[in-house]
Amino acid sequence: MKLQEMRSTNFSRFAAERNKLVHTFGALAEIGQEVSNKHNFQETVRTSLHLVLGSLGIMRGGVVRYTRFEHELNMVSARGLGDDFPFGMSLCYEDERQFLANGLYPIECDQARVLPFFQVYDRSLERAKIELFVPLVVRDELLGGIFLGEKASGEQYTSHDKEIICAMGRHIGVAISQRNLMAELERRADENRRLYDDLKMTYKDTVKAFAAAIDRKDKYTEGHSVRVGKYSEAIARELGWGEEEIEGAAFAGYLHDIGKITVERKIINAPYRINAKESTELNKHPGAGYEILQPIRHPYAGVPLAAKYHHERLDGRGYPDGLYDREIPYIAKVVNLADAFDAMTSDRPYRRRRSAQEVFEDLQRNSGKQFAPELVTALLRGVIRELSGESKDKTFRKMLGREYMESEGLMPMVRTALNELAPTTPLTFVAHK
Amino acid sequence: MTEVSSQVLSDSQGTATVFAGDYLNKLSGERIERECRAKLNAGYREIIVDFSGTELVNSIGISILMGVIDAASGIGAKVVFAEPNPMTTELFDMLGLTRHVEIRA
Ligand SMILES: [Fe+2]
Ligand SMILES: [Fe+2]
């Protein structure tokens, strides 16, 4: 052969080799990209299988995922294996041990007949003309496997082919591992959420039981704690608070008088206006409530503070500490208004409840003195929205009774009170779209 | 997305042509395989895959084409790859696909 011809033959062989390499490495690069792109897991595996088969011209194959609990290989994606190829294949302990020992390297099925797995599935593997099984072992964990059929060229798999298969298999293994990790994270997040919900439920039940206990002790103000909880909730809702905060306001209301369980029953239940000494005793209930609630870890901040300061007034004439406006925790102001509103609108042993007119005048008069004006506004707005039917909520109707809510002229009365409290509406800037 | 176009050349000869186009190389290229299978199920015994509009075939494309070959060989039908460019022809040859199909320039 002339030198010229030899050169040209060598060159074309070299070019063919180069093209083959470019083709295989293209597939390898793509599989890496596919796995790191984190699409849908099924699609990632399907694409990866195409890439493995296409890179070496393998006629058929499948990717299975190992589930450790069931000791089963489950088909994720298959091509050309036929309908009767098993979807799930079980592994015994010995199979798993051997696969782990083998690591991520293609096993020739003919030469692995000693393993129970290849004995059990012999017929299926033969029918699908499977030549190689690649255990997907990544970081000493069996994650799945790849079944590979014959090459389109009819040639044997070379060691070079097997290296390529290993490299691609590692990527697929990583994809499965990522998927498992995600599933585990989701499961744990779910579990945590459930645990948290359970705790919250327990807390809710406990709080309600406590509220009922307080209310039972104070027989003339039966249902007071529950109502204060409901009013606090309604005020918080009108203020536009988030659902968790609204719930927190309700609990602060339910528990505000918990300190009363330390006060003598005869003082609480006195069917007359109590004297100074008894009054001093009764006035200890906010501090006592705080002592009870403070050591408990509440899901809502401010519950103990609401109990401690629910008798404080904006003008500093409240108790126990005589705090002024800004010094009073906000939640305590909410509960204070709800508490006062219930005191005015429910019967007491020594007096009937006040008329609607008196109540709304009182709220107006004491706004800025005892009550935070914006809270009074929120409460009145809540009543109006319920009266007008704008809100489907029936808190006030349920708590105050139909008779009260339907008393004559209630709507204009509340409207007047609201307007006098807030004669101007601050402008809200709305950005143009 | 471009539809997979197929055309029936001649009914009497039982030949259907499917254009590979440039969507063969993605997961969506599986449609080409489905199209071919549909033609085979409809009774065609010769499938021509037309590569005149195909610049390059990657591994996904190869895998999909092997699906076509597999489907055809299962029922004794013939597959023809028409007008692949030299580089693609070389690839088909290298990977052994030419053992299963006829290449028509
Ligand atoms: Fe109180
Ligand atoms: Fe109270």
Side-chain angles (χ1 to χ4, degrees):
Chain A
M1 202 189 284
K2 282 183 198 153
L3 191 64
Q4 191 75 25
E5 276 173 21
M6 265 172 74
R7 270 198 190 138
S8 118
T9 318
N10 274 344
F11 180 76
S12 62
R13 196 181 302 144
F14 171 74
E17 270 308 307
R18 190 200 53 200
N19 284 351
K20 196 169 177 178
L21 272 178
V22 167
H23 175 73
T24 332
F25 281 108
L28 194 55
E30 229 174 293
I31 213 170
Q33 218 168 53
E34 181 66 33
V35 169
S36 55
N37 275 350
K38 291 194 189 105
H39 303 155
N40 159 314
F41 172 69
Q42 283 285 339
E43 275 187 18
T44 297
V45 175
R46 212 160 88 226
T47 307
S48 302
L49 179 61
H50 275 306
L51 288 166
V52 174
L53 299 181
S55 68
L56 296 171
I58 302 165
M59 290 299 282
R60 64 199 87 245
V63 174
V64 285
R65 178 178 174 190
Y66 184 50
T67 48
R68 215 179 317 154
F69 293 110
E70 284 96 17
H71 283 268
E72 221 177 52
L73 295 172
N74 291 315
M75 193 59 73
V76 183
S77 187
R79 283 187 60 74
L81 297 186
D83 293 337
D84 46 0
F85 196 83
F87 176 83
M89 303 163 105
S90 50
L91 290 190
C92 69
Y93 174 74
E94 180 58 13
D95 296 320
E96 187 180 346
R97 207 178 62 85
Q98 289 291 343
F99 289 155
L100 280 169
N102 175 85
L104 206 158
Y105 196 78
I107 296 172
E108 308 255 357
C109 296
D110 306 352
Q111 285 160 35
R113 290 283 144 83
V114 286
L115 277 184
F117 177 75
F118 293 99
Q119 288 165 18
V120 173
Y121 296 105
D122 183 41
R123 304 253 335 238
S124 304
L125 296 173
E126 213 171 273
R127 213 176 306 131
K129 296 187 210 135
I130 297 301
E131 294 187 5
L132 298 181
F133 175 71
V134 192
L136 295 177
V137 177
V138 178
R139 284 186 295 267
D140 294 326
E141 191 186 350
L142 179 63
L143 295 156
I146 311 176
F147 291 103
L148 295 173
E150 82 276 20
K151 283 167 72 177
S153 62
E155 291 161 1
Q156 295 279 307
Y157 282 93
T158 64
S159 57
H160 175 74
D161 291 342
K162 288 178 183 171
E163 291 297 334
I164 303 256
I165 292 168
C166 276
M168 292 187 154
R170 185 163 291 114
H171 283 297
I172 300 176
V174 167
I176 296 177
S177 165
Q178 277 174 355
R179 170 70 200 171
N180 291 351
L181 221 63
M182 280 302 291
E184 177 63 13
L185 278 178
E186 275 164 25
R187 195 186 61 78
R188 281 198 202 163
D190 250 24
E191 209 168 78
N192 270 345
R193 206 171 305 124
R194 231 173 302 131
L195 212 62
Y196 176 72
D197 284 348
D198 281 356
L199 277 177
K200 231 164 79 170
M201 201 62 96
T202 311
Y203 177 81
K204 267 184 207 175
D205 291 346
T206 313
V207 166
K208 283 187 178 157
F210 261 118
I214 306 160
D215 291 349
R216 254 199 307 281
K217 186 162 184 186
D218 189 351
K219 77 170 189 201
Y220 289 109
T221 58
E222 214 182 340
H224 169 67
S225 299
V226 172
R227 286 193 300 271
V228 172
K230 294 282 179 205
Y231 293 141
S232 300
E233 186 181 333
I235 295 167
R237 196 176 301 277
E238 279 305 318
L239 290 172
W241 288 9
E243 279 309 313
E244 297 269 307
E245 293 162 311
I246 292 171
E247 206 171 41
F251 289 127
Y254 286 142
L255 294 172
H256 78 287
D257 268 343
I258 194 164
K260 280 191 181 170
I261 60 175
T262 66
V263 178
E264 255 187 275
R265 193 181 279 260
K266 81 169 203 282
I267 297 176
I268 294 174
N269 283 338
Y272 51 84
R273 270 184 205 282
I274 51 175
N275 63 35
K277 193 171 156 243
E278 288 166 330
S279 174
T280 312
E281 182 64 23
L282 184 64
N283 290 359
K284 283 180 187 161
H285 81 270
Y290 180 75
E291 295 301 322
I292 294 169
L293 295 174
Q294 209 271 332
I296 302 169
R297 273 181 58 188
H298 301 270
Y300 311 97
V303 171
L305 287 175
K308 186 168 185 180
Y309 295 121
H310 75 274
H311 284 294
E312 296 289 357
R313 296 166 51 101
L314 255 53
D315 56 15
R317 290 169 56 213
Y319 66 94
D321 292 346
L323 299 181
Y324 283 93
D325 192 354
R326 299 273 171 112
E327 299 167 333
I328 308 168
Y330 206 74
I331 185 66
K333 292 182 189 177
V334 172
V335 173
N336 171 276
L337 175 61
D339 188 31
F341 184 69
D342 183 59
M344 290 188 264
T345 53
S346 50
D347 294 329
R348 286 288 153 104
Y350 43 88
R351 59 152 176 78
R352 288 270 304 155
R353 67 170 164 184
R354 308 228 201 118
S355 71
Q357 170 124 25
E358 284 174 308
V359 170
F360 291 107
E361 277 173 9
D362 190 300
L363 288 178
Q364 215 180 306
R365 197 170 46 249
N366 280 306
S367 168
K369 292 178 191 147
Q370 179 180 347
F371 313 121
E374 76 277 15
L375 296 186
V376 179
T377 306
L379 177 77
L380 297 179
R381 218 169 35 218
V383 175
I384 287 181
R385 293 208 308 125
E386 217 180 287
L387 281 172
S388 68
E390 187 194 328
S391 140
K392 294 280 159 280
D393 205 68
K394 291 205 164 53
T395 303
F396 292 102
R397 195 170 297 268
K398 272 189 213 145
M399 299 296 125
L400 296 169
R402 250 183 73 187
E403 178 205 341
Y404 209 86
M405 281 297 269
E406 284 167 13
S407 58
E408 232 186 88
L410 184 64
M411 183 72 140
M413 200 188 312
V414 184
R415 278 236 162 89
T416 310
L418 185 61
N419 283 331
E420 281 173 18
L421 273 167
T424 55
T425 311
L427 283 176
T428 308
F429 178 73
V430 180
H432 292 288
K433 285 205 176 139
Chain B
M1 206 184 275
T2 336
E3 269 305 300
V4 177
S5 56
S6 62
Q7 96 188 25
V8 178
L9 283 184
S10 160
D11 234 357
S12 59
Q13 285 163 16
T15 297
T17 302
V18 174
F19 288 90
D22 58 356
Y23 31 76
L24 181 64
N25 297 328
K26 287 169 256 159
L27 209 50
S28 54
E30 286 177 350
R31 285 183 303 158
I32 291 175
E33 185 181 336
R34 278 198 291 276
E35 184 84 357
C36 290
R37 283 181 192 273
K39 294 290 174 223
L40 291 167
N41 286 339
Y44 292 95
R45 285 299 166 262
E46 184 175 79
I47 299 286
I48 299 176
V49 184
D50 186 318
F51 290 93
S52 56
T54 313
E55 217 174 299
L56 188 121
V57 178
N58 72 4
S59 291
I60 299 182
I62 294 286
S63 172
I64 288 164
L65 291 172
M66 284 192 302
V68 176
I69 294 171
D70 195 44
S73 73
I75 50 170
K78 182 180 174 188
V79 181
V80 176
F81 287 175
E83 293 184 52
N85 62 30
M87 217 169 92
T88 307
T89 309
E90 196 184 310
L91 187 68
F92 290 155
D93 194 35
M94 234 162 44
L95 296 172
L97 271 68
T98 37
R99 292 176 71 223
H100 306 268
V101 301
E102 180 191 320
I103 304 278
R104 217 172 269 169

